[in-house]
Amino acid sequence: PATTATLSQHGDYVLRLAANDSSAHTFKDLAFTAYTSALQVWQAQNWAARGGVSDPAAALLLDPDFDGQSNLLEFAFGMPPNANDTSPVVYDHATVGPDEFLRLSVPKNPAATDLSFTVEATSDLANPASWTSAGLVIEIDTSTQLVVRDNMPLNNGQPRFMRVKVSLPP
């Protein structure tokens, strides 16, 4: 009456439920696809219409709707992957005392619990090693939103740039 199955890998499975009361034997096969992450569910829901994807990990880097957001970012931000839409990341300024700071607001898909969101800032776009998250002020970090403020005021004469990096666990 109560059957539980725990699966450690995603894939296609057939579960056979059998009953035997010594005079009658019966069984029922249940075929299903199991997923181990919300990302895998999202991939199956959104990529099945395209005939599936042979390499889901590589497909995360693709941008089939040509909106500038890779499939990984579409999932991370909770965007529809088959609609050409604009980036939901918003830049604005925050005033703290006499200073004004660059601020980045990022929507987060609440189902994307296995992703890491990191905001970084720099004044030197020519030096890739200069991007850092050290000292940035996290104003909001919930399951649906991340708001991060720069730690260098805009009125100090240096240009400032911010970005968000989204990554899968290793």
Side-chain angles (χ1 to χ4, degrees), residues 30-62:
L30 174 65
F32 61 94
T33 302
Y35 303 100
T36 58
S37 73
L39 176 58
Q40 291 171 351
V41 172
W42 183 84
Q43 287 173 319
Q45 290 170 339
N46 291 288
W47 296 348
R50 293 188 229 156
V53 175
S54 60
D55 184 355
L60 289 173
L61 303 177
L62 300 177

Side-chain angles (χ1 to χ4, degrees), residues 21-100:
D21 69 358
S22 74
S23 63
H25 303 275
T26 187
F27 70 90
K28 177 73 175 175
D29 287 340
L30 174 65
F32 61 94
T33 302
Y35 303 100
T36 58
S37 73
L39 176 58
Q40 291 171 351
V41 172
W42 183 84
Q43 287 173 319
Q45 290 170 339
N46 291 288
W47 296 348
R50 293 188 229 156
V53 175
S54 60
D55 184 355
L60 289 173
L61 303 177
L62 300 177
D63 180 17
D65 57 4
F66 304 106
D67 62 2
Q69 308 297 315
S70 69
N71 283 322
L72 178 61
L73 292 179
E74 303 256 16
F75 172 69
F77 300 153
M79 299 168 59
N82 300 316
N84 187 307
D85 39 23
T86 60
S87 172
V89 176
V90 176
Y91 295 88
D92 68 353
H93 296 166
T95 302
V96 178
D99 296 317
E100 202 169 4

